[in-house]
Every structure is written in C-alpha cells, then in structure tokens.
C-alpha cells in the first residue's frame, strides 16, 4: 500500500473517495466539510438533521458528488461522542473506512485527518493509530484460496490530507512506524493462520533464521541433541509423541545503545496442540494450530523492533513443538526434569504449554535479564475468566506489571491482572515430584502461572495468557476472523517506552 501525506484543502482535492470523520454529537458541519456541504446543496446538513446519518462509531455513509466538487465521492465516517474518542476509536474508524472502500472496488482513499480534531500534543500517536487501523483492516489470509481476479479487490493508495504543514513531521513518523507495526502484526497473523502442516517446528525455525537477515538480529536454533545436553526435559517430553522434531528458537536483537537493558520475550510455540494422550475433543481442535500465537508474537515484535532500531537488547526464546498422542508420547504420571533441575509430575498431557515454557524461563536466566515477559495461549480457564477483551496478566514485579499494563492500554491490547497469591501454590503440590502440571478445577489460569513462577524466580517477570485474545471468532473493525496478532503492538510499545529498569 502506498501512503502519501498531502498538505491541502479538502474541497479542492480530486480524490476517488474523500473521507470526513464526524462526531455523533456534532450539531453543525464545520471547516472543509461545510464547503463541500454548500457545493452539494446542504445535503450533508440535511442528512444529519434528519438523522439519516448518525455518526456512531464505525457507521458510514457514502455520497456521490456529481462533479460539484473535484472529489468523486464523500464518505462520512462516525467516531461516536466527541468526549469519548480515543486513539483506538480512530484505529477502528480508519479500519472501517478501509474495508468499506475496498469492498466498493475503489482503489484510493483520501482521509481528511483534521476532521478528527486530534490534539496537537499527541498527534503522532493518533495518526499512527489511524495508519495501523487502516492497514490491519485490509489483512486477508488467502494463500490457500483460489480467488478470481474479480473478487480480488485491492485498495492501493491512502492519502492523509492535512491542512497545516506543521503537522507533516509527526504524520511522517506515524506513517513510518504504523507501516512497520502493521507489517509485523500481519506477519504474525500469517504464521498463526497457517495450518500446522506448513509451520512445523523446523519450518518456524527457518522463518526465524530468515528474520535474522535483518540488520541487528542474530538467530540460533537448538535441536534435540543440544536440548538433551541442556537438560530441557520439558520441550523434549512434550515433543516425544510427535513425528516432528522440536526446535528451540533463540533470536537476539541488539540496539547497541549505551546503558541498554536486556529484555527477554518468551513465546509458547506449540505448532499443534492435540492434547496428547489426554486428547482434546474434536470440536474446535483445528483452532489449536494457533497454540504458537505467543511465539509468533515474539517473532513479529522483534521484526518491528529491529526495523525501528529501538535502543535495547532484546532476546526472543521460542520453544517449538507439537503435542501429539502416539506410542512414544509422554503419559500421565510421567515425571519430567527441566533445565533448571526441578521436576514435575505430568498429571495431564494437555497442560503442555507450561512444560515447554518452564525450560525457556529457566534458560532465560543466563541472559541476566532486567525483565522477562512470556506470552502464551496457556489456559481455557483464562478465556472463561476474561473473555476476548483482555489478556490475563500475572507476575512477580509491580513495576514491570505497571509498564505492561500501560503499554496494553496505549495499544488497546489490554491486559487484566489476576492474583498470583501464594494461596494458589497449594494446588500444584505433588507427592512424588517437586510440582505437578495441573491444579484443581478452579483458578486454572492462576495455577498455570503458579507453575511458571517456579522457573522465573531470579528476575522481574510478567506472564500474559493470550488464550482468549489471540483468536477472533468474527470480523471487527481492524481484526479479522482468525489470528489477531495480539502481543506484537504491546511488546513494541513496551520497548519504545522503556527506561532503565530500577
Ligand atoms: N493450548 C491450550 C489452551 C487453550 C485453550 C488455548 C483454548 C486457546 C484456546 C492449553 O495447552 C491447554 O490445553 N490447557 C488446558 C489445561 C488443563 C488441562 C489444565 C485447558 O485450559 O483446558
Ligand atoms: Mn494443551
Ligand atoms: Zn496448548
């Protein structure tokens, strides 16, 4: 997609589609829209007065202009009430603009950005939200589909129309960053939407190696012999029932800045979770190709961070494996010894995510990190607790939790904290090993985090359970049915805001 920034006046633009953003509580049309309204015999004022168009969020109406102004069509796009507007509502409105225009078969949009009334002080953030929403909404996963050229409608060009040239600099930065971020999120979505057959651990490892062709990124892959040497019984145990050998991806980005911190991202890379011997039911099992969403988010975030050249040292650790039932599979009752030396009784083979993460969290120690953040589609229990609007957050450090929460709110990839009180540790006690891999029937998201906490004792750590947020059941303004790419924008924002950790 080609994105231009133009300084000009809307009523003089010869656009295919000229989009004005409107507030629901707006009484009279103003500025450039008033000029257009005049030229169109006050049609717009009439529409609003008669409530033919109410500018609720994500509502739009398109009007032909019959040559009365240079633009061929005007779109009015709602933002809801003015006092309630947020960057995410702008992200949504931009997404709605993009998909509606594309589906009309129109190849170009000119957005009258001034009509949003963005505060000067934070214009970059709002412009960037607009770009992100626009690009993310146009995502489609069509690699496996024969699409006729007629069906294949493509929006090729976006022009951001600004009236003041002072706004150019922040708009330009916003376009650059917005494009990098949207590109990374779509890369992550593609990986998650890809069927498990085409993203085996070995293929994911190759993908990570390709990423390392970017300047500043190094990649190392650990295979079974190295994993054995390192005593990584978690990832080895989970993978032993599968025909696909496990891979442990290590990606390292170095910003080479003075006084930078080392931040480790750990991502669950279950390329298919059948449940193993504790086999899942058939319904919705296909969705378990997305059980590597955490790992995919880590790959996407590192891709964006390296392109933005952010001044920190980032390490990505992604244990990749399938969880399959077979004659060689791990069995309930088996005991695993992890990289850290601790042992766990496998009470349920479907609680496999924590087993591979335990090795990765233990391994993270060697980087002496200032902070470790893990992302994992870890529990159905988290989906029961929080639904799809927030990822579950648990951790051992108040300051880090605060930073993650702030980044989540800024990007609208919101997180909600669940308590990681000692009271819950009771549930994962084992008679024959240090711990066991499931708790009782209650508080499953928390007992899963309790398990992880035993391997993250040596550094500030936050765990994000993205089981509910990584997958969308239906289309939204800028999210499509399928993978959301959650985590990428949050992690990039976290690193962008990073200041030396106390
Ligand atoms: N990958 C699943 C969790 C999951 C469920 C992700 C639904 C996305 C949507 C995980 O490995 C799992 O199977 N967890 C079990 C744990 C249980 C056996 C303690 C679960 O949540 O049922
Ligand atoms: Mn499972
Ligand atoms: Zn799983």
């Amino acid at each position: 997609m080609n994105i231009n920034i133009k300084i000009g006046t809307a009523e003089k633009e010869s656009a295919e589609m000229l989009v004005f953003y409107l507030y629901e509580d707006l009484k009279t049309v103003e500025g450039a829209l008033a000029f257009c309204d005049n030229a169109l015999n006050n049609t717009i004022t009439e529409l609003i007065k008669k409530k033919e168009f109410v500018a609720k969020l994500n509502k739009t109406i398109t009007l032909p202009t019959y040559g009365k102004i240079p633009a061929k069509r005007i779109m009015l796009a709602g933002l809801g009430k003015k006092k309630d507007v947020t960057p995410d509502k702008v992200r949504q409105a931009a997404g709605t603009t993009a998909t509606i225009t594309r589906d009309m078969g129109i190849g170009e949009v000119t957005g009258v950005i001034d009509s949003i009334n963005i505060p000067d002080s934070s214009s970059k953030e709002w412009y960037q939200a607009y770009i992100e929403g626009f690009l993310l909404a146009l995502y489609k996963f069509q690699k496996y589909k024969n699409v006729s050229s007629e069906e294949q409608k493509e929006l090729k060009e976006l022009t951001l129309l600004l009236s003041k040239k002072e706004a150019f600099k922040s708009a330009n930065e916003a376009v650059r960053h917005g494009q990098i971020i949207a590109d990374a999120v779509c890369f992550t979505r593609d990986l998650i939407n890809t069927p498990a057959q085409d993203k085996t651990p070995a293929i994911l490892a190759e993908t990570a190696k390709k990423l390392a062709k970017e300047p500043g990124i190094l990649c190392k892959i650990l295979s079974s012999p190295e994993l054995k040497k390192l005593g990584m019984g978690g990832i080895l145990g989970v993978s032993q029932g599968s025909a696909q050998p496990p891979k442990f991806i290590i990606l390292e980005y170095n910003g080479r800045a003075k006084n930078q911190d080392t931040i480790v991202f750990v991502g669950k890379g279950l390329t298919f979770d059948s449940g193993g011997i504790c086999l899942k039911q058939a319904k919705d099992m296909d969705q378990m190709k997305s059980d590597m969403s955490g790992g995919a988010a880590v790959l996407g975030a590192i891709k964006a961070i390296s392109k933005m050249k952010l001044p920190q040292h980032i390490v990505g650790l992604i244990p990749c494996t399938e969880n399959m039932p077979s004659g060689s599979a791990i069995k309930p009752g088996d005991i695993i010894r992890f990289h850290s030396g601790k042992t766990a009784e496998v009470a349920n083979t479907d609680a496999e995510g924590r087993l591979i993460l335990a090795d990765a969290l233990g391994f993270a120690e060697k980087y002496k990190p200032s902070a470790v953040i893990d992302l994992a589609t870890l529990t159905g229990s988290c989906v029961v607790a929080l639904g799809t609007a927030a990822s579950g957050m648990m951790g051992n450090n108040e300051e880090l939790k605060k930073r993650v929460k702030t980044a989540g709110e800024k990007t609208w990839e919101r997180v909600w904290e669940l308590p990681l009180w000692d009271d819950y540790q009771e549930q994962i006690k084992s008679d024959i090993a240090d711990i066991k891999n499931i708790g009782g029937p209650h508080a499953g998201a928390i007992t899963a985090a309790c398990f992880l906490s035993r391997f993250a004792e040596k550094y500030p750590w936050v765990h994000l359970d993205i089981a509910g947020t990584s997958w969308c059941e239906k289309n939204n303004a800028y999210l499509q049915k399928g993978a959301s790419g959650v985590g990428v924008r949050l992690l990039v924002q976290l690193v962008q805001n990073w200041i030396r950790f106390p």
Side-chain angles (χ1 to χ4, degrees):
M1 157 100 51
N2 201 1
I3 305 183
N4 315 304
I5 303 166
K6 198 164 169 187
I7 313 294
T9 16
E11 67 271 21
K12 293 184 189 151
E13 278 305 305
S14 55
E16 285 288 322
M17 179 71 95
L18 188 65
V19 188
F20 288 91
Y21 293 90
L22 261 63
Y23 289 100
E24 196 182 328
D25 39 355
L26 166 112
K27 292 280 173 333
T28 52
V29 298
E30 302 160 346
L33 186 58
F35 274 98
C36 297
D37 187 32
N38 241 322
L40 298 170
N41 307 326
N42 303 323
T43 325
I44 296 167
T45 301
E46 283 299 304
L47 280 174
I48 295 170
K49 215 160 75 191
K50 298 213 170 106
K51 296 202 169 14
E52 290 280 333
F53 176 70
V54 182
K56 291 203 185 293
L57 182 62
N58 295 325
K59 294 284 177 228
T60 64
I61 192 167
T62 306
L63 315 166
T65 60
Y66 301 117
K68 290 178 180 158
I69 57 168
K72 280 197 197 143
R73 303 166 195 87
I74 284 183
M75 180 192 281
L76 306 177
L79 284 170
K81 294 214 171 72
K82 177 128 196 230
K83 68 170 180 28
D84 298 332
V85 70
T86 58
D88 193 65
K89 288 189 178 166
V90 169
R91 197 178 280 115
Q92 290 187 42
T96 303
T97 305
T99 43
I100 289 190
T101 310
R102 179 202 52 206
D103 294 346
M104 288 172 77
I106 295 166
E108 185 264 339
V109 167
T110 297
V112 186
I113 302 303
D114 288 351
S115 61
I116 305 173
N117 268 308
I118 288 170
D120 280 344
S121 55
S122 54
S123 57
K124 193 236 166 189
E125 181 190 353
W126 291 69
Y127 294 152
Q128 187 178 321
Y130 186 90
I131 300 294
E132 287 172 6
F134 203 92
L135 295 174
L136 291 175
L138 295 174
Y139 173 82
K140 276 190 171 174
F141 184 67
Q142 286 183 326
K143 207 160 73 185
Y144 294 85
K145 222 174 170 176
N146 292 303
V147 186
S148 71
S149 52
E150 249 166 76
E151 283 175 280
Q152 186 64 278
K153 291 173 182 158
E154 208 187 325
L155 219 172
K156 295 207 176 70
E157 196 160 325
L158 166 66
T159 302
L160 289 188
L161 187 67
L162 303 165
S163 63
K164 290 179 279 182
K165 67 173 189 304
E166 294 75 38
F168 185 86
K169 195 167 164 262
S170 63
N172 202 37
E173 273 281 280
V175 169
R176 204 172 65 80
H177 284 171
Q179 276 180 312
I180 290 173
I181 286 173
D183 174 65
V185 174
C186 293
F187 164 81
T188 294
R189 287 179 179 177
D190 270 344
L191 286 175
I192 300 167
N193 287 328
T194 295
Q197 62 187 141
D198 286 341
K199 60 167 178 211
T200 58
I203 298 174
L204 276 192
E206 283 310 312
T207 309
K209 275 195 202 157
K210 271 190 217 129
L211 261 191
K213 293 199 171 122
E214 300 275 337
I217 308 188
L218 291 175
C219 178
K220 193 169 182 227
I221 306 296
L222 307 178
S223 299
S224 295
E226 289 106 319
L227 296 173
K228 276 180 198 140
K229 255 184 241 150
L230 288 163
M232 295 218 187
I235 178 170
L236 287 168
V238 173
S239 71
Q240 78 192 33
S242 166
Q244 298 296 334
K247 301 285 169 191
F248 189 106
I249 299 172
I250 305 173
L251 266 186
E252 210 169 333
Y253 160 78
N254 200 329
R256 302 204 178 283
K258 258 192 226 155
N259 295 326
Q260 60 184 9
D261 274 337
T262 296
I263 309 166
V264 176
F265 298 154
V266 175
K268 175 175 172 183
L270 242 296
T271 61
F272 189 75
D273 179 13
S274 71
I277 294 295
C278 305
L279 194 64
K280 288 181 182 294
Q281 57 176 21
K283 190 181 173 297
D284 295 332
M285 200 202 269
D286 58 329
Q287 201 198 308
M288 282 302 126
K289 68 176 181 183
S290 71
D291 212 17
M292 37 62 82
S293 296
V298 169
L299 292 176
I302 292 180
K303 185 176 202 248
I305 287 167
S306 76
K307 286 208 175 131
M308 289 164 79
K309 300 195 168 63
L310 298 183
Q312 304 296 339
H313 178 217
I314 311 293
V315 178
L317 303 177
I318 311 169
C320 300
T321 173
E322 287 183 340
N323 183 24
M324 298 293 278
S326 82
S328 61
I330 194 161
K331 295 172 282 293
D334 284 358
I335 293 178
I336 279 177
R337 187 180 294 277
F338 297 99
H339 176 65
S340 67
K342 286 190 180 157
T343 59
E345 179 188 353
V346 180
N348 188 315
T349 64
D350 197 11
E352 83 300 335
R354 62 201 79 181
L355 302 177
I356 68 169
L357 292 171
D359 278 335
L361 289 170
F363 190 73
E365 269 178 30
K366 86 177 198 129
Y367 296 95
K368 302 199 167 38
S370 301
V372 176
I373 296 109
D374 81 70
L375 291 91
T377 45
L378 205 62
T379 65
S381 161
C382 190
V383 192
V384 173
L386 298 175
T388 57
S391 302
M393 174 174 75
M394 284 146 276
N396 63 11
N397 183 286
E398 292 305 318
E399 169 66 18
L400 185 60
K401 282 190 283 191
K402 209 163 86 193
R403 290 187 187 194
V404 170
K405 185 159 184 280
T406 304
E409 265 152 29
K410 273 240 178 250
T411 53
W412 217 244
E413 294 193 332
R414 290 168 297 171
V415 304
W416 195 258
E417 187 177 4
L418 301 173
L420 195 59
W421 295 324
D422 282 344
D423 313 49
Y424 297 100
Q425 297 279 356
E426 253 334 272
Q427 289 195 38
I428 58 167
K429 279 191 177 154
S430 164
D431 296 332
I432 55 169
D434 297 338
I435 43 177
K436 62 177 178 179
N437 78 334
I438 55 166
H442 301 148
I446 298 173
T447 50
C450 284
F451 189 97
L452 300 181
S453 74
R454 303 297 189 90
F455 303 88
E457 287 165 349
K458 303 258 169 68
Y459 43 68
W461 159 75
V462 158
H463 157 62
L464 295 178
D465 192 331
I466 59 170
T469 48
S470 77
W471 193 260
C472 304
E473 291 298 339
K474 57 176 178 46
N475 291 342
N476 279 302
Y478 60 85
L479 300 169
Q480 285 72 31
K481 205 170 158 182
S484 67
V486 76
V488 175
R489 293 190 295 114
L490 183 149
L491 290 177
V492 175
Q493 185 72 49
L494 180 78
V495 175
Q496 258 185 311
N497 290 354
W498 198 262
I499 44 172
R500 237 26 261 262
F501 207 72

